[in-house]
Amino acid sequence: MREKERVIRRADRLIAISHATKKDLVETYAIAPDKIDVVHLAAAFGPDTCASARLTVPGKFFLYVGERGKYKNCYFLIRALREIFLANPGLHLVCAGGGEFTEDERAFIDMLGLRGRVHWHEASNASLVALYRDAIALLAPSLYEGFGLPVAEAFNCGCAVVASRTPALEEVGGDAALFFDAKDQSSIRETIARVLREPGLVEELRQKSAKRAPVFSREKCARETAAVYRRVIDERLKRGG
């Protein structure tokens, strides 16, 4: 942490991946806001750049992507959704990436009576394109994020997004995502139940998703990052450094 702070204070400028992260930098390290540029991350792949893999997955599933522990809130999500999954025998959850389920995770899933309903899948780019394409929606339940890259990836693949109401995810999701309270099981259940009973809502979210995708394009990210580097070079040249 001390090394991180030392580097932050020595930098000519800082690039934050979201306004939420910029706010954290200002509050944690007392950095001047005008020293920080916000450049949103970009989805590295999509149907236009990566062929979709052929997968064997359940016919009706929600998708979770990434690490599952701590602030990612995945286990709380699964517990909150238990009643919905038990009431809908054909409904599944696919967890992509984050490493295969551990023995403790499998025991947790069994304890909830969800064996065969919660699955793990590897997360290559080609697999993710297929998973985002076929999922009912991406579920992003994190208690905290600096950005929330799976949301941008979902947008790039035209996938509906249902996320927690945290600063970074609200910033990235904008009006293209549906939000719930990550610490409230009833809020999670009610939001998912609404998604299941309103297919028109899912289609609306998919359309909004595709429209929001350009906000997180690789071209935009590269252009804005290059502009920060040019600014640093120009400022150094003016100082004779």
Side-chain angles (χ1 to χ4, degrees), residues 4-77:
K4 179 188 291 186
E5 182 173 357
R6 185 181 69 82
V7 171
I8 287 173
R9 297 198 182 284
R10 285 187 59 191
D12 290 283
R13 301 200 63 76
L14 300 173
I15 295 177
I17 56 178
S18 66
H19 291 281
T21 294
K22 177 176 179 175
K23 182 173 182 289
D24 288 343
L25 285 168
V26 171
E27 292 178 352
T28 302
Y29 298 105
I31 302 296
D34 60 4
K35 184 182 176 178
I36 306 171
D37 297 287
V38 174
V39 178
H40 288 135
L41 295 178
F45 61 86
D48 59 332
T49 61
C50 180
S52 173
R54 294 184 178 181
L55 307 181
T56 301
V57 292
K60 189 176 182 181
F61 68 94
F62 285 102
L63 177 64
Y64 175 92
V65 175
E67 298 293 333
R68 298 179 293 273
K70 299 180 180 178
Y71 68 90
K72 294 295 185 178
N73 208 32
C74 183
Y75 309 127
F76 188 81
L77 170 74

Side-chain angles (χ1 to χ4, degrees), residues 208-226:
K208 288 182 176 181
S209 173
K211 289 180 180 179
R212 188 155 177 78
V215 176
F216 309 105
S217 72
R218 288 165 294 173
E219 294 77 13
K220 179 174 177 288
C221 180
R223 183 175 64 252
E224 293 179 356
T225 300

Side-chain angles (χ1 to χ4, degrees), residues 94-225:
V94 173
C95 297
E100 295 189 43
F101 289 147
T102 64
E103 185 175 333
D104 286 344
E105 287 177 313
R106 289 193 293 270
F108 172 73
I109 292 167
D110 287 349
M111 179 191 70
L112 294 177
L114 296 177
R115 178 184 291 190
R117 307 291 299 283
V118 181
H119 315 267
W120 177 83
H121 203 288
E122 57 87 22
S124 67
N125 288 356
S127 295
L128 285 172
V129 169
L131 290 168
Y132 283 126
R133 178 197 65 201
D134 295 337
I136 300 170
L138 169 73
L139 303 183
S142 296
L143 297 171
Y144 172 85
E145 287 289 350
F147 180 78
L149 189 56
V151 174
E153 293 173 349
F155 287 162
N156 214 33
C157 296
C159 179
V161 172
V162 183
S164 58
R165 195 176 288 107
T166 55
L169 291 179
E170 285 191 298
E171 178 181 337
V172 176
D175 65 355
L178 189 65
F179 295 98
F180 56 75
D181 182 344
K183 296 181 180 180
D184 186 340
Q185 290 192 12
S186 63
S187 175
I188 296 173
R189 280 194 296 269
E190 290 167 7
T191 304
I192 299 304
R194 183 185 172 198
V195 169
L196 290 172
R197 68 173 179 263
E198 297 182 30
L201 173 60
V202 175
E203 182 55 35
E204 179 184 345
L205 288 172
R206 286 175 178 160
Q207 292 175 6
K208 288 182 176 181
S209 173
K211 289 180 180 179
R212 188 155 177 78
V215 176
F216 309 105
S217 72
R218 288 165 294 173
E219 294 77 13
K220 179 174 177 288
C221 180
R223 183 175 64 252
E224 293 179 356
T225 300

